[in-house]
Short mmCIF file of all heavy atoms in Angstrom, two decimals:
data_model
loop_
_atom_site.label_atom_id
_atom_site.label_comp_id
_atom_site.label_asym_id
_atom_site.label_seq_id
_atom_site.Cartn_x
_atom_site.Cartn_y
_atom_site.Cartn_z
N MET A 861 20.88 8.13 6.37
CA MET A 861 19.46 8.36 6.05
C MET A 861 18.87 9.17 7.22
O MET A 861 19.04 8.79 8.37
CB MET A 861 18.72 7.04 5.90
CG MET A 861 17.26 7.23 5.56
SD MET A 861 16.35 5.68 5.35
CE MET A 861 16.89 5.15 3.76
N THR A 862 18.23 10.24 6.85
CA THR A 862 17.64 11.06 7.90
C THR A 862 16.35 10.44 8.43
O THR A 862 15.86 9.48 7.89
CB THR A 862 17.31 12.48 7.33
OG1 THR A 862 16.38 12.34 6.29
CG2 THR A 862 18.57 13.15 6.81
N ARG A 863 15.84 11.00 9.51
CA ARG A 863 14.68 10.46 10.17
C ARG A 863 13.44 10.54 9.23
O ARG A 863 12.65 9.63 9.16
CB ARG A 863 14.40 11.24 11.44
CG ARG A 863 13.31 10.67 12.27
CD ARG A 863 13.13 11.38 13.57
NE ARG A 863 14.04 12.53 13.73
CZ ARG A 863 13.88 13.47 14.60
NH1 ARG A 863 12.88 13.46 15.40
NH2 ARG A 863 14.76 14.45 14.70
N SER A 864 13.36 11.63 8.46
CA SER A 864 12.18 11.79 7.59
C SER A 864 12.21 10.75 6.45
O SER A 864 11.19 10.22 6.04
CB SER A 864 12.11 13.18 7.02
OG SER A 864 13.28 13.49 6.27
N LEU A 865 13.40 10.46 5.93
CA LEU A 865 13.51 9.46 4.89
C LEU A 865 13.22 8.04 5.44
O LEU A 865 12.59 7.23 4.74
CB LEU A 865 14.86 9.51 4.20
CG LEU A 865 15.06 10.65 3.22
CD1 LEU A 865 16.50 10.67 2.71
CD2 LEU A 865 14.09 10.57 2.08
N ALA A 866 13.68 7.79 6.62
CA ALA A 866 13.40 6.49 7.21
C ALA A 866 11.90 6.33 7.51
O ALA A 866 11.35 5.27 7.28
CB ALA A 866 14.20 6.33 8.55
N LEU A 867 11.26 7.40 7.93
CA LEU A 867 9.83 7.38 8.16
C LEU A 867 9.07 7.16 6.84
O LEU A 867 8.13 6.37 6.78
CB LEU A 867 9.36 8.68 8.84
CG LEU A 867 7.90 8.82 9.17
CD1 LEU A 867 7.50 7.77 10.19
CD2 LEU A 867 7.63 10.20 9.69
N MET A 868 9.51 7.84 5.79
CA MET A 868 8.87 7.70 4.48
C MET A 868 9.06 6.29 3.96
O MET A 868 8.11 5.70 3.38
CB MET A 868 9.46 8.72 3.50
CG MET A 868 8.64 8.89 2.26
SD MET A 868 8.90 10.39 1.35
CE MET A 868 10.56 10.25 0.79
N ALA A 869 10.23 5.69 4.14
CA ALA A 869 10.48 4.33 3.67
C ALA A 869 9.62 3.35 4.48
O ALA A 869 9.14 2.36 3.95
CB ALA A 869 11.97 4.03 3.77
N GLY A 870 9.48 3.59 5.77
CA GLY A 870 8.69 2.70 6.61
C GLY A 870 7.23 2.76 6.23
O GLY A 870 6.55 1.71 6.17
N ILE A 871 6.70 3.95 5.99
CA ILE A 871 5.30 4.08 5.53
C ILE A 871 5.11 3.41 4.18
O ILE A 871 4.09 2.78 3.93
CB ILE A 871 4.91 5.56 5.53
CG1 ILE A 871 4.83 6.11 6.95
CG2 ILE A 871 3.55 5.74 4.86
CD1 ILE A 871 4.62 7.59 7.02
N ALA A 872 6.09 3.58 3.32
CA ALA A 872 6.01 2.95 2.01
C ALA A 872 5.95 1.45 2.10
O ALA A 872 5.19 0.77 1.44
CB ALA A 872 7.20 3.39 1.16
N GLY A 873 6.78 0.88 2.97
CA GLY A 873 6.79 -0.56 3.18
C GLY A 873 5.49 -1.08 3.77
O GLY A 873 4.94 -2.11 3.31
N ALA A 874 4.98 -0.37 4.75
CA ALA A 874 3.71 -0.78 5.38
C ALA A 874 2.54 -0.69 4.39
O ALA A 874 1.69 -1.55 4.31
CB ALA A 874 3.45 0.04 6.62
N ALA A 875 2.48 0.43 3.65
CA ALA A 875 1.41 0.59 2.69
C ALA A 875 1.50 -0.41 1.56
O ALA A 875 0.48 -0.97 1.13
CB ALA A 875 1.45 2.02 2.10
N GLY A 876 2.69 -0.70 1.10
CA GLY A 876 2.88 -1.70 0.05
C GLY A 876 2.49 -3.12 0.48
O GLY A 876 1.82 -3.83 -0.22
N ALA A 877 2.90 -3.44 1.69
CA ALA A 877 2.55 -4.77 2.24
C ALA A 877 1.04 -4.92 2.44
O ALA A 877 0.44 -5.94 2.08
CB ALA A 877 3.30 -5.05 3.53
N ALA A 878 0.45 -3.91 3.02
CA ALA A 878 -1.00 -3.94 3.24
C ALA A 878 -1.78 -3.97 1.91
O ALA A 878 -2.76 -4.71 1.76
CB ALA A 878 -1.49 -2.74 4.09
N GLY A 879 -1.31 -3.18 0.96
CA GLY A 879 -1.94 -3.18 -0.37
C GLY A 879 -1.81 -4.51 -1.08
O GLY A 879 -2.77 -4.98 -1.69
N LEU A 880 -0.63 -5.10 -1.01
CA LEU A 880 -0.45 -6.38 -1.68
C LEU A 880 -1.27 -7.49 -1.04
O LEU A 880 -1.89 -8.31 -1.74
CB LEU A 880 1.05 -6.78 -1.65
CG LEU A 880 1.43 -8.02 -2.40
CD1 LEU A 880 1.12 -7.83 -3.92
CD2 LEU A 880 2.89 -8.33 -2.20
N ALA A 881 -1.34 -7.46 0.29
CA ALA A 881 -2.19 -8.48 0.97
C ALA A 881 -3.65 -8.27 0.63
O ALA A 881 -4.39 -9.25 0.42
CB ALA A 881 -1.99 -8.36 2.47
N THR A 882 -4.10 -7.07 0.58
CA THR A 882 -5.52 -6.78 0.23
C THR A 882 -5.80 -7.13 -1.22
O THR A 882 -6.87 -7.62 -1.56
CB THR A 882 -5.85 -5.32 0.48
OG1 THR A 882 -5.54 -5.00 1.84
CG2 THR A 882 -7.31 -5.01 0.22
N LEU A 883 -4.85 -6.86 -2.09
CA LEU A 883 -5.04 -7.16 -3.51
C LEU A 883 -5.05 -8.63 -3.82
O LEU A 883 -5.88 -9.10 -4.60
CB LEU A 883 -3.90 -6.47 -4.31
CG LEU A 883 -3.95 -6.54 -5.82
CD1 LEU A 883 -5.18 -5.78 -6.31
CD2 LEU A 883 -2.72 -5.86 -6.40
N VAL A 884 -4.18 -9.38 -3.17
CA VAL A 884 -4.07 -10.82 -3.42
C VAL A 884 -5.13 -11.64 -2.69
O VAL A 884 -5.67 -12.59 -3.21
CB VAL A 884 -2.66 -11.30 -3.05
CG1 VAL A 884 -2.56 -12.82 -3.16
CG2 VAL A 884 -1.60 -10.64 -3.93
N ARG A 885 -5.45 -11.25 -1.46
CA ARG A 885 -6.40 -11.99 -0.62
C ARG A 885 -7.51 -11.07 -0.18
O ARG A 885 -7.61 -10.72 0.99
CB ARG A 885 -5.68 -12.58 0.59
CG ARG A 885 -4.44 -13.36 0.31
CD ARG A 885 -4.62 -14.77 0.11
NE ARG A 885 -5.26 -15.37 1.29
CZ ARG A 885 -5.57 -16.64 1.35
NH1 ARG A 885 -5.27 -17.39 0.33
NH2 ARG A 885 -6.15 -17.15 2.39
N PRO A 886 -8.44 -10.69 -1.08
CA PRO A 886 -9.52 -9.77 -0.63
C PRO A 886 -10.47 -10.42 0.36
O PRO A 886 -11.10 -9.72 1.15
CB PRO A 886 -10.23 -9.42 -1.94
CG PRO A 886 -9.83 -10.45 -2.93
CD PRO A 886 -8.51 -10.99 -2.49
N ALA A 887 -10.61 -11.75 0.35
CA ALA A 887 -11.49 -12.41 1.31
C ALA A 887 -11.00 -12.22 2.74
O ALA A 887 -11.81 -12.03 3.66
CB ALA A 887 -11.61 -13.89 0.98
N LEU A 888 -9.67 -12.26 2.93
CA LEU A 888 -9.09 -12.03 4.23
C LEU A 888 -9.37 -10.62 4.75
O LEU A 888 -9.73 -10.39 5.90
CB LEU A 888 -7.61 -12.31 4.20
CG LEU A 888 -6.82 -12.25 5.49
CD1 LEU A 888 -7.25 -13.37 6.40
CD2 LEU A 888 -5.36 -12.27 5.23
N ALA A 889 -9.17 -9.65 3.83
CA ALA A 889 -9.45 -8.25 4.17
C ALA A 889 -10.93 -8.02 4.43
O ALA A 889 -11.29 -7.24 5.31
CB ALA A 889 -8.92 -7.35 3.10
N ARG A 890 -11.79 -8.70 3.65
CA ARG A 890 -13.23 -8.52 3.85
C ARG A 890 -13.64 -9.03 5.22
O ARG A 890 -14.45 -8.36 5.89
CB ARG A 890 -13.95 -9.28 2.72
CG ARG A 890 -15.47 -9.12 2.83
CD ARG A 890 -16.24 -9.80 1.69
NE ARG A 890 -15.69 -11.11 1.35
CZ ARG A 890 -15.31 -11.42 0.12
NH1 ARG A 890 -15.39 -10.55 -0.87
NH2 ARG A 890 -14.83 -12.62 -0.13
N ARG A 891 -13.08 -10.13 5.66
CA ARG A 891 -13.40 -10.63 7.00
C ARG A 891 -12.86 -9.70 8.08
O ARG A 891 -13.51 -9.46 9.10
CB ARG A 891 -12.85 -12.03 7.19
CG ARG A 891 -13.71 -13.12 6.56
CD ARG A 891 -13.28 -14.49 7.06
NE ARG A 891 -11.89 -14.78 6.87
CZ ARG A 891 -11.36 -15.43 5.81
NH1 ARG A 891 -12.19 -15.85 4.88
NH2 ARG A 891 -10.08 -15.65 5.69
N ALA A 892 -11.68 -9.13 7.86
CA ALA A 892 -11.06 -8.26 8.84
C ALA A 892 -11.88 -6.96 9.01
O ALA A 892 -12.00 -6.44 10.12
CB ALA A 892 -9.66 -7.91 8.43
N PHE A 893 -12.44 -6.45 7.91
CA PHE A 893 -13.21 -5.23 7.98
C PHE A 893 -14.71 -5.47 8.23
O PHE A 893 -15.46 -4.54 8.40
CB PHE A 893 -13.08 -4.43 6.66
CG PHE A 893 -11.73 -3.82 6.50
CD1 PHE A 893 -10.98 -4.06 5.36
CD2 PHE A 893 -11.19 -2.96 7.45
CE1 PHE A 893 -9.73 -3.48 5.19
CE2 PHE A 893 -9.95 -2.40 7.30
CZ PHE A 893 -9.22 -2.66 6.16
N GLY A 894 -15.11 -6.73 8.24
CA GLY A 894 -16.51 -7.06 8.46
C GLY A 894 -17.44 -6.68 7.35
O GLY A 894 -18.62 -6.35 7.56
N LEU A 895 -16.95 -6.71 6.13
CA LEU A 895 -17.75 -6.37 4.96
C LEU A 895 -18.58 -7.60 4.46
O LEU A 895 -18.14 -8.75 4.63
CB LEU A 895 -16.85 -5.89 3.82
CG LEU A 895 -16.08 -4.59 4.07
CD1 LEU A 895 -15.14 -4.34 2.91
CD2 LEU A 895 -17.04 -3.45 4.23
N PRO A 896 -19.73 -7.35 3.88
CA PRO A 896 -20.49 -8.48 3.38
C PRO A 896 -19.84 -9.06 2.14
O PRO A 896 -19.10 -8.40 1.42
CB PRO A 896 -21.86 -7.84 3.01
CG PRO A 896 -21.53 -6.42 2.75
CD PRO A 896 -20.39 -6.08 3.67
N GLU A 897 -20.17 -10.37 1.89
CA GLU A 897 -19.63 -10.98 0.68
C GLU A 897 -20.39 -10.47 -0.53
O GLU A 897 -21.58 -10.19 -0.44
CB GLU A 897 -19.77 -12.50 0.79
CG GLU A 897 -18.87 -13.11 1.81
CD GLU A 897 -18.88 -14.64 1.75
OE1 GLU A 897 -19.13 -15.19 0.68
OE2 GLU A 897 -18.61 -15.23 2.79
N GLY A 898 -19.66 -10.38 -1.60
CA GLY A 898 -20.29 -9.91 -2.87
C GLY A 898 -19.25 -9.34 -3.82
O GLY A 898 -18.11 -9.09 -3.41
N GLU A 899 -19.70 -9.20 -5.06
CA GLU A 899 -18.76 -8.68 -6.05
C GLU A 899 -18.32 -7.25 -5.79
O GLU A 899 -17.21 -6.90 -6.02
CB GLU A 899 -19.46 -8.72 -7.44
CG GLU A 899 -19.18 -9.97 -8.21
CD GLU A 899 -19.73 -9.89 -9.62
OE1 GLU A 899 -19.22 -9.05 -10.40
OE2 GLU A 899 -20.69 -10.62 -9.88
N ALA A 900 -19.29 -6.42 -5.32
CA ALA A 900 -18.96 -5.00 -5.10
C ALA A 900 -17.92 -4.85 -4.03
O ALA A 900 -16.97 -4.05 -4.19
CB ALA A 900 -20.25 -4.25 -4.69
N ALA A 901 -17.98 -5.61 -2.95
CA ALA A 901 -17.00 -5.53 -1.88
C ALA A 901 -15.62 -6.04 -2.38
O ALA A 901 -14.59 -5.47 -2.06
CB ALA A 901 -17.44 -6.33 -0.68
N THR A 902 -15.63 -7.09 -3.17
CA THR A 902 -14.37 -7.63 -3.73
C THR A 902 -13.71 -6.62 -4.63
O THR A 902 -12.51 -6.38 -4.56
CB THR A 902 -14.65 -8.95 -4.49
OG1 THR A 902 -15.26 -9.87 -3.59
CG2 THR A 902 -13.35 -9.54 -5.00
N TYR A 903 -14.49 -5.98 -5.51
CA TYR A 903 -13.90 -4.97 -6.43
C TYR A 903 -13.39 -3.79 -5.67
O TYR A 903 -12.32 -3.26 -5.94
CB TYR A 903 -14.94 -4.51 -7.43
CG TYR A 903 -15.24 -5.52 -8.52
CD1 TYR A 903 -16.53 -5.69 -8.99
CD2 TYR A 903 -14.25 -6.35 -9.04
CE1 TYR A 903 -16.86 -6.65 -9.94
CE2 TYR A 903 -14.52 -7.29 -10.02
CZ TYR A 903 -15.82 -7.43 -10.46
OH TYR A 903 -16.10 -8.35 -11.44
N ALA A 904 -14.14 -3.33 -4.64
CA ALA A 904 -13.68 -2.18 -3.83
C ALA A 904 -12.42 -2.52 -3.10
O ALA A 904 -11.50 -1.68 -3.04
CB ALA A 904 -14.80 -1.80 -2.85
N LEU A 905 -12.29 -3.71 -2.56
CA LEU A 905 -11.07 -4.11 -1.86
C LEU A 905 -9.89 -4.22 -2.82
O LEU A 905 -8.74 -3.88 -2.48
CB LEU A 905 -11.27 -5.41 -1.11
CG LEU A 905 -12.13 -5.29 0.16
CD1 LEU A 905 -12.46 -6.65 0.71
CD2 LEU A 905 -11.37 -4.47 1.21
N ARG A 906 -10.14 -4.72 -4.02
CA ARG A 906 -9.04 -4.78 -4.99
C ARG A 906 -8.57 -3.42 -5.41
O ARG A 906 -7.37 -3.17 -5.60
CB ARG A 906 -9.47 -5.64 -6.20
CG ARG A 906 -9.52 -7.11 -5.86
CD ARG A 906 -9.76 -7.92 -7.08
NE ARG A 906 -9.73 -9.33 -6.72
CZ ARG A 906 -10.40 -10.27 -7.36
NH1 ARG A 906 -11.16 -9.97 -8.38
NH2 ARG A 906 -10.30 -11.53 -6.97
N ILE A 907 -9.50 -2.52 -5.60
CA ILE A 907 -9.13 -1.15 -5.95
C ILE A 907 -8.35 -0.49 -4.81
O ILE A 907 -7.33 0.14 -5.04
CB ILE A 907 -10.39 -0.33 -6.30
CG1 ILE A 907 -10.97 -0.84 -7.64
CG2 ILE A 907 -10.05 1.16 -6.41
CD1 ILE A 907 -12.34 -0.28 -7.97
N ALA A 908 -8.84 -0.65 -3.59
CA ALA A 908 -8.12 -0.07 -2.47
C ALA A 908 -6.75 -0.71 -2.29
O ALA A 908 -5.77 0.00 -1.97
CB ALA A 908 -8.95 -0.26 -1.20
N GLY A 909 -6.65 -2.01 -2.51
CA GLY A 909 -5.35 -2.68 -2.41
C GLY A 909 -4.38 -2.18 -3.46
O GLY A 909 -3.20 -1.95 -3.16
N MET A 910 -4.85 -1.94 -4.65
CA MET A 910 -3.97 -1.43 -5.70
C MET A 910 -3.52 -0.02 -5.41
O MET A 910 -2.39 0.35 -5.67
CB MET A 910 -4.69 -1.50 -7.07
CG MET A 910 -3.78 -1.28 -8.24
SD MET A 910 -2.48 -2.51 -8.33
CE MET A 910 -1.08 -1.50 -8.63
N MET A 911 -4.46 0.77 -4.84
CA MET A 911 -4.09 2.15 -4.51
C MET A 911 -3.03 2.17 -3.39
O MET A 911 -2.09 3.00 -3.44
CB MET A 911 -5.30 2.94 -4.08
CG MET A 911 -6.25 3.20 -5.25
SD MET A 911 -7.77 3.99 -4.75
CE MET A 911 -7.20 5.67 -4.57
N LEU A 912 -3.16 1.30 -2.40
CA LEU A 912 -2.18 1.21 -1.34
C LEU A 912 -0.82 0.74 -1.86
O LEU A 912 0.23 1.22 -1.47
CB LEU A 912 -2.65 0.32 -0.20
CG LEU A 912 -3.64 0.92 0.75
CD1 LEU A 912 -4.20 -0.17 1.68
CD2 LEU A 912 -3.01 2.01 1.59
N LEU A 913 -0.88 -0.25 -2.75
CA LEU A 913 0.36 -0.76 -3.35
C LEU A 913 1.06 0.32 -4.17
O LEU A 913 2.28 0.52 -4.10
CB LEU A 913 0.07 -1.98 -4.24
CG LEU A 913 1.27 -2.65 -4.85
CD1 LEU A 913 2.19 -3.22 -3.77
CD2 LEU A 913 0.83 -3.77 -5.81
N ALA A 914 0.28 1.11 -4.92
CA ALA A 914 0.85 2.18 -5.71
C ALA A 914 1.42 3.28 -4.79
O ALA A 914 2.51 3.84 -5.09
CB ALA A 914 -0.20 2.79 -6.63
N LEU A 915 0.75 3.54 -3.69
CA LEU A 915 1.28 4.53 -2.73
C LEU A 915 2.65 4.06 -2.21
O LEU A 915 3.64 4.81 -2.14
CB LEU A 915 0.34 4.68 -1.54
CG LEU A 915 0.89 5.52 -0.36
CD1 LEU A 915 1.02 6.97 -0.73
CD2 LEU A 915 -0.01 5.34 0.85
N GLY A 916 2.75 2.78 -1.86
CA GLY A 916 4.01 2.23 -1.38
C GLY A 916 5.12 2.29 -2.45
O GLY A 916 6.25 2.65 -2.14
N LEU A 917 4.77 1.97 -3.67
CA LEU A 917 5.77 2.02 -4.73
C LEU A 917 6.23 3.43 -5.01
O LEU A 917 7.47 3.68 -5.14
CB LEU A 917 5.20 1.41 -6.01
CG LEU A 917 5.01 -0.11 -6.02
CD1 LEU A 917 4.31 -0.55 -7.27
CD2 LEU A 917 6.36 -0.80 -5.91
N PHE A 918 5.34 4.37 -5.11
CA PHE A 918 5.72 5.74 -5.41
C PHE A 918 6.48 6.38 -4.26
O PHE A 918 7.49 7.04 -4.44
CB PHE A 918 4.48 6.61 -5.77
CG PHE A 918 4.06 6.43 -7.16
CD1 PHE A 918 2.91 5.72 -7.48
CD2 PHE A 918 4.79 6.97 -8.24
CE1 PHE A 918 2.50 5.55 -8.78
CE2 PHE A 918 4.38 6.79 -9.52
CZ PHE A 918 3.24 6.08 -9.81
N LEU A 919 5.99 6.19 -3.04
CA LEU A 919 6.66 6.77 -1.89
C LEU A 919 8.03 6.17 -1.69
O LEU A 919 9.00 6.89 -1.45
CB LEU A 919 5.80 6.60 -0.66
CG LEU A 919 6.11 7.43 0.56
CD1 LEU A 919 5.99 8.93 0.20
CD2 LEU A 919 5.14 7.13 1.68
N GLY A 920 8.17 4.87 -1.82
CA GLY A 920 9.45 4.24 -1.72
C GLY A 920 10.39 4.65 -2.86
O GLY A 920 11.59 4.83 -2.66
N GLY A 921 9.84 4.78 -4.05
CA GLY A 921 10.65 5.22 -5.19
C GLY A 921 11.17 6.61 -5.02
O GLY A 921 12.36 6.95 -5.29
N PHE A 922 10.31 7.51 -4.56
CA PHE A 922 10.73 8.88 -4.32
C PHE A 922 11.81 8.97 -3.22
O PHE A 922 12.76 9.72 -3.34
CB PHE A 922 9.55 9.81 -3.94
CG PHE A 922 8.69 10.15 -5.12
CD1 PHE A 922 7.31 10.15 -4.96
CD2 PHE A 922 9.21 10.50 -6.32
CE1 PHE A 922 6.48 10.50 -6.01
CE2 PHE A 922 8.41 10.83 -7.40
CZ PHE A 922 7.05 10.82 -7.24
N ALA A 923 11.65 8.18 -2.17
CA ALA A 923 12.68 8.15 -1.10
C ALA A 923 13.99 7.62 -1.63
O ALA A 923 15.05 8.14 -1.32
CB ALA A 923 12.17 7.29 0.05
N ALA A 924 13.94 6.57 -2.45
CA ALA A 924 15.17 6.01 -2.99
C ALA A 924 15.87 6.98 -3.96
O ALA A 924 17.09 7.16 -3.91
CB ALA A 924 14.83 4.68 -3.72
N VAL A 925 15.11 7.62 -4.82
CA VAL A 925 15.68 8.55 -5.77
C VAL A 925 16.27 9.75 -5.06
O VAL A 925 17.35 10.25 -5.40
CB VAL A 925 14.64 8.97 -6.85
CG1 VAL A 925 15.11 10.15 -7.66
CG2 VAL A 925 14.32 7.81 -7.74
N PHE A 926 15.59 10.24 -4.05
CA PHE A 926 16.06 11.37 -3.27
C PHE A 926 17.41 11.01 -2.58
O PHE A 926 18.34 11.81 -2.58
CB PHE A 926 15.05 11.82 -2.22
CG PHE A 926 15.39 13.04 -1.47
CD1 PHE A 926 15.23 14.28 -2.08
CD2 PHE A 926 15.88 12.98 -0.18
CE1 PHE A 926 15.58 15.44 -1.38
CE2 PHE A 926 16.23 14.12 0.50
CZ PHE A 926 16.08 15.37 -0.10
N THR A 927 17.50 9.81 -2.06
CA THR A 927 18.70 9.36 -1.40
C THR A 927 19.83 9.19 -2.42
O THR A 927 20.96 9.62 -2.16
CB THR A 927 18.46 8.03 -0.65
OG1 THR A 927 17.42 8.23 0.29
CG2 THR A 927 19.71 7.58 0.07
N LEU A 928 19.55 8.60 -3.56
CA LEU A 928 20.56 8.37 -4.58
C LEU A 928 21.03 9.68 -5.19
O LEU A 928 22.17 9.79 -5.64
CB LEU A 928 20.01 7.44 -5.66
CG LEU A 928 19.82 5.98 -5.27
CD1 LEU A 928 19.14 5.23 -6.38
CD2 LEU A 928 21.15 5.37 -4.91
N ALA A 929 20.14 10.68 -5.25
CA ALA A 929 20.56 11.96 -5.84
C ALA A 929 21.40 12.80 -4.87
O ALA A 929 21.90 13.84 -5.25
CB ALA A 929 19.29 12.76 -6.21
N GLY A 930 21.54 12.32 -3.63
CA GLY A 930 22.37 13.04 -2.67
C GLY A 930 21.64 14.16 -1.98
O GLY A 930 22.26 15.06 -1.45
N GLY A 931 20.33 14.11 -1.96
CA GLY A 931 19.55 15.15 -1.28
C GLY A 931 19.69 15.09 0.22
O GLY A 931 19.95 14.02 0.80
N THR A 932 19.57 16.19 0.85
CA THR A 932 19.61 16.25 2.31
C THR A 932 18.32 16.87 2.80
O THR A 932 17.88 17.91 2.34
CB THR A 932 20.77 17.11 2.81
OG1 THR A 932 20.67 18.42 2.25
CG2 THR A 932 22.12 16.47 2.43
N ALA A 933 17.67 16.16 3.71
CA ALA A 933 16.37 16.65 4.23
C ALA A 933 16.56 17.22 5.60
O ALA A 933 17.35 16.86 6.37
CB ALA A 933 15.39 15.51 4.29
#
């Protein structure tokens, strides 16, 4: 695995983990960011968490498919 693929896989893992944590526990993320309690903040955090999780899935998937296809970076 080249350095760029390892970097892409690492970013995918970090984004996926952060997104999953934000999606599942929005109260924890709300306290970490210092956001006020309310429905709007909870919905915004859930949307952001899902976007980060999707970034991790797509980036990790692209890295895996590139590696399996025998690509060289």
Side-chain angles (χ1 to χ4, degrees):
M861 181 180 284
T862 63
R863 187 176 2 163
S864 60
L865 284 175
L867 182 64
M868 194 160 66
I871 292 172
L880 186 62
T882 304
L883 186 62
V884 173
R885 309 269 302 179
L888 183 69
R890 183 177 39 237
R891 280 194 305 266
F893 289 125
L895 296 173
E897 290 189 27
E899 267 187 67
T902 302
Y903 288 142
L905 285 171
R906 285 187 178 152
I907 290 169
M910 192 61 225
M911 291 175 79
L912 281 171
L913 183 64
L915 171 71
L917 287 174
F918 279 107
L919 197 58
F922 285 138
V925 167
F926 186 78
T927 302
L928 290 174
T932 57

